[in-house]
């Protein structure tokens, strides 16, 4: 059969399967959320340790960062899936998500994101002038109090553009969970066009899911831009 | 009554001796002005008093207690500091700048801290700017917030490190006038400043520091009219000439 690009019947096929793709979209969104959450909860302290820590802890954190940033994400995800002693956790009905694969994907995407978020946060902390710490210490605040009440609040605001960037990257990179068969958007897309006689619909299906990724990135970025504006402090990003 | 006693203080950075055998005393309510050329160690001396910098040798006493025997946070609560670059907390309003120490260091409840902050902002003439962020204030206003922030901790001594040097000339007056009011009210102040008008009218004593050493120290009349050292005359003459 001669695969004619973008024919009406294939678009029809995409539309008929919108629910099937929607379930994949839900998994993609969930995986993005858990990965970014893990990335933030780990990356934020890791960035702080890189700046304020010392000794073995600091060395361990920065080595872990170098390794995670230097490994292809597909390799990480496959390694975590087959290499970690994760128990079989069963499958979520409807979404048809293998929980073990979901956990492995969250760990891979989350820790890799943590390694990048740590860099974002570290840079933001280091961009805060020395004078802020001195001013805090000069009124009798401890170093801990100064970090908590003066440095972090400013550093977090300055990290928002970097975190926003991370969000876009993680969202799109959830598609590598395809490599371990997790039923996210790309995996489901493949399941559609691999059905017998549907190889003509490859382009249509991929274009459709790209549109989904685009809409998700675009709307979330706009929302974050808006929040950024609402919570902005005059001169806070200088 | 002696509030601050600096005894034979030495401080080096690497091979460079920045303070050499510096000794002086301040009584409560004194206004001490330190002058000296750039790099003579003025900032370093101030920073040794609140231990932002540690001395190598000698001793510093606050109200009879050696400062290294005190908890450093306790010391800094008792010794306020006003910076050349203001160093206001950029993410907090004028009021927020003042309340932070009250809340975190003194453990004051929020409402009391806010009321206290507003009192101090009023004292520096900024009652109407309590909600403004530093980036929305002029340099002179920012520095007055900096003064309010230091004052609110009710320190026994306030250090001023060239508080007007970063200001446009037309904004210097408002800061000096606040400082003059403080001096009149009996605040003990140790000021590095080259504002000779302020020194002449407000200082109890002027110290001329050069190359890490106290060259000469005395009441303003003596230093301006009849200094012991030619170097003092030359330096003060030059400063007066600039203004
Ligand atoms: N943290 C530091 N590390 C190394 N050298 C320093 C440090 N702080 C100050 N110095 C040096 O100590 C000397 C005295 O500096 P200090 O800042 O006390 O001078 P100053 O009288 O306040 O000068 P200025 O009028 O320019 O503010 C200078 O030579 C400076 O380079
Ligand atoms: Mg200086």
């Amino acid at each position: 059969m001669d695969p004619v690009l973008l024919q009406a019947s294939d678009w029809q096929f995409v539309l008929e399967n919108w629910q099937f793709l929607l379930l994949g979209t839900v998994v993609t969104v969930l995986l993005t959320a858990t990965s970014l959450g893990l990335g933030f909860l780990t990356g934020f302290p890791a960035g702080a340790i890189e700046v304020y820590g010392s000794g073995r802890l600091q060395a361990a954190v920065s080595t872990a960062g170098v390794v995670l940033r230097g490994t292809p994400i597909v390799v990480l995800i496959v390694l975590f899936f087959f290499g970690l002693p994760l128990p079989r956790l069963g499958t979520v009905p409807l979404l048809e998500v293998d929980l073990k694969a979901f956990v492995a994907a969250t760990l891979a995407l989350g820790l890799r994101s943590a390694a990048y978020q740590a860099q974002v946060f570290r840079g933001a902390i280091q961009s805060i002038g020395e004078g802020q710490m001195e001013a805090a210490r000069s009124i009798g605040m401890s170093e801990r109090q100064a970090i908590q009440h003066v440095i972090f609040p400013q550093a977090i605001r300055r990290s928002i553009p970097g975190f926003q960037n991370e969000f876009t990257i993680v969202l799109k990179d959830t598609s590598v969970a395809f490599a371990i068969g997790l039923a996210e958007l790309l995996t489901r897309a493949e399941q559609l066009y691999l059905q017998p006689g549907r190889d003509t619909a490859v382009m249509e299906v991929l274009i459709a899911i790209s549109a989904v990724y685009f809409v998700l990135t675009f709307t979330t970025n706009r929302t974050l831009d808006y929040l950024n504006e609402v919570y902005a402090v005059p001169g806070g990003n200088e | 009554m002696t509030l601050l006693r600096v005894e034979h203080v030495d401080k080096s950075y690497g091979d460079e001796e920045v303070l050499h055998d510096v000794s002086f005393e301040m009584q409560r309510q004194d206004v001490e002005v330190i002058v000296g050329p750039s790099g003579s160690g003025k900032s370093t001396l101030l920073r040794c008093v609140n231990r932002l910098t540690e001395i190598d040798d000698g001793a510093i006493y606050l109200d009879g207690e050696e400062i290294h025997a005190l908890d450093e946070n306790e010391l800094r609560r008792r010794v306020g500091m006003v910076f050349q670059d203001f160093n206001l907390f950029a993410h907090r309003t004028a009021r927020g700048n003042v309340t932070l120490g009250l809340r975190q260091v003194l453990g004051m409840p929020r409402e009391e801290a806010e009321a206290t902050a507003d009192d101090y902002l009023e004292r520096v003439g900024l009652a109407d700017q309590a909600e403004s962020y530093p980036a929305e204030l002029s340099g002179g206003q920012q520095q007055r917030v900096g003064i309010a922030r230091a004052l609110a901790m009710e320190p026994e001594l306030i250090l001023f490190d060239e508080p007007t040097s970063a200001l446009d000339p037309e904004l210097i007056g408002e800061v000096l006038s606040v400082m003059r009011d403080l001096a009149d009210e009996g605040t003990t102040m140790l000021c590095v400043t080259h504002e000779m008008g302020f020194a002449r009218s407000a200082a109890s004593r002027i110290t001329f520091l050069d190359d890490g050493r106290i060259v000469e120290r005395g009441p303003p009349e003596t230093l301006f009219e009849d200094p012991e050292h030619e170097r003092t005359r030359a330096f003060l003459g030059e400063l007066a000439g600039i203004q």
Side-chain angles (χ1 to χ4, degrees):
Chain A
M1 175 199 285
D2 181 25
V4 180
L5 287 183
L6 310 180
Q7 40 184 12
S9 61
D10 289 331
W11 285 117
Q12 182 68 30
F13 173 65
V14 169
L15 283 180
E16 278 163 11
N17 287 289
W18 70 271
Q19 281 171 316
F20 186 77
L21 290 175
L22 179 65
L23 292 176
T25 307
V26 169
V27 175
T28 291
V29 169
L30 287 175
L31 183 57
T32 305
T34 54
S35 302
L36 278 175
L38 175 65
F40 183 76
L41 292 177
T42 329
F44 183 84
I49 288 169
E50 288 206 42
V51 181
Y52 297 111
S54 59
R56 276 195 206 157
L57 180 62
Q58 191 191 34
V61 166
S62 63
T63 308
V66 170
V67 171
L68 286 165
R69 287 190 300 274
T71 312
I73 184 65
V74 183
V75 174
L76 280 179
I77 222 165
V78 173
L79 264 178
F80 281 27
F81 184 60
F82 292 106
L84 287 182
L86 296 171
R88 290 204 56 81
L89 295 165
T91 302
V92 181
L94 189 64
L95 292 178
E96 299 192 2
V97 162
D98 171 17
L99 275 176
K100 181 185 163 185
F102 191 85
V103 170
T106 297
L107 286 175
L109 288 162
L111 293 179
R112 202 264 316 237
S113 179
Y116 282 101
Q117 292 191 35
Q119 294 302 294
V120 168
F121 192 54
R122 182 180 66 106
I125 292 173
Q126 286 170 336
S127 75
I128 310 287
E130 193 70 28
Q132 294 287 307
M133 174 62 86
E134 289 202 337
R137 299 306 306 271
S138 79
I139 51 175
M141 293 173 78
S142 65
E143 186 180 25
R144 224 193 124 88
Q145 288 176 317
I147 291 172
Q148 183 184 343
H149 297 286
V150 175
I151 308 297
F152 280 2
Q154 297 185 57
I156 288 176
R157 283 185 179 84
R158 288 188 194 187
S159 300
I160 290 174
F163 286 155
Q164 216 162 324
N165 208 17
E166 246 329 271
F167 159 75
T168 311
I169 291 170
V170 170
L171 173 70
K172 286 181 297 193
D173 279 0
T174 52
S175 59
V176 302
F178 172 75
I180 55 172
L182 180 66
E184 47 66 64
L185 191 52
L186 181 62
T187 307
R188 281 185 178 254
E190 195 203 38
Q191 286 166 3
L192 282 187
Y193 61 69
L194 286 188
Q195 287 172 19
R198 288 300 178 183
D199 56 344
T200 54
V202 174
M203 291 300 284
E204 289 80 356
V205 172
L206 288 180
I207 289 171
I209 68 163
S210 300
V212 172
Y213 283 117
F214 176 78
V215 168
L216 289 176
T217 338
F218 186 80
T219 51
T220 313
N221 270 326
R222 275 301 148 89
T223 311
L224 290 174
D225 282 341
Y226 173 74
L227 290 177
N228 201 3
E229 248 165 64
V230 171
Y231 288 103
V233 160
N237 289 318
E238 278 158 25
Chain B
M1 195 182 137
T2 305
L3 180 65
L4 181 73
R5 198 160 88 240
V6 174
E7 274 184 2
H8 308 295
V9 163
D10 293 332
K11 171 71 190 176
S12 300
Y13 285 112
D15 287 343
E16 189 195 357
E17 191 165 53
V18 177
L19 293 176
H20 181 80
D21 196 24
V22 171
S23 301
F24 68 96
E25 259 186 36
M26 284 176 71
Q27 309 302 310
R28 274 189 199 280
Q29 311 206 330
D30 272 357
V31 175
E32 177 93 26
V33 165
I34 301 178
V35 298
S38 179
S40 56
K42 306 179 298 292
S43 298
T44 306
L45 177 57
L46 250 53
R47 296 164 60 89
C48 286
V49 173
N50 71 350
R51 288 181 61 193
L52 284 179
T53 298
E54 293 291 357
I55 59 176
D56 296 334
D57 220 338
I60 300 176
Y61 299 89
L62 181 70
D63 201 14
E65 285 176 286
E66 216 288 322
I67 60 170
H68 295 86
L70 295 170
D71 172 67
E72 62 179 357
N73 298 326
E74 167 69 9
L75 168 71
R76 292 181 186 137
R77 197 204 55 68
R78 293 172 58 188
V79 179
M81 189 165 207
V82 174
F83 300 87
Q84 181 171 354
D85 304 323
F86 329 133
N87 290 341
L88 294 188
F89 306 131
H91 63 303
R92 297 180 70 100
T93 59
R95 181 187 289 128
N97 266 269
V98 183
T99 55
L100 188 61
L102 297 174
R103 304 260 297 126
Q104 299 302 324
V105 179
L106 303 182
M108 210 181 258
R110 179 190 300 275
E111 279 176 18
E112 189 187 344
E114 287 179 352
T116 308
D118 288 351
D119 286 346
Y120 282 100
L121 288 172
E122 189 171 350
R123 266 179 78 176
V124 299
L126 289 174
D128 52 343
Q129 298 289 346
E131 311 274 352
S132 302
Y133 284 90
E136 300 170 325
L137 297 171
S138 73
Q141 291 172 324
Q142 289 189 56
Q143 191 59 293
R144 286 187 281 149
V145 175
I147 294 173
R149 176 175 69 182
L151 278 179
M153 305 303 289
E154 301 194 346
E156 293 160 56
L157 166 70
I158 305 185
L159 312 170
F160 291 82
D161 191 358
E162 304 206 39
T164 58
S165 318
L167 297 177
D168 292 337
E170 72 273 19
L171 301 177
I172 291 176
E174 61 192 65
V175 172
L176 289 181
S177 121
V178 168
M179 290 173 64
R180 240 180 230 117
D181 290 346
L182 292 180
D184 291 344
E185 289 159 19
T187 314
T188 317
M189 300 159 70
L190 176 55
C191 314
V192 174
T193 177
H194 287 155
E195 291 299 327
M196 289 302 108
F198 174 80
R200 211 182 261 275
S201 61
S204 355
R205 282 205 172 59
I206 298 181
T207 293
F208 173 43
L209 196 68
D210 193 10
D211 208 10
R213 289 156 212 262
I214 294 182
V215 175
E216 189 164 353
R217 179 167 184 261
E221 312 81 68
T222 314
L223 263 83
F224 281 111
E225 314 306 338
D226 186 23
E228 203 175 315
H229 294 270
E230 191 46 44
R231 260 197 295 168
T232 315
R233 186 189 303 279
F235 185 77
L236 290 179
E238 208 173 299
L239 279 186
I242 292 166
Q243 285 159 19

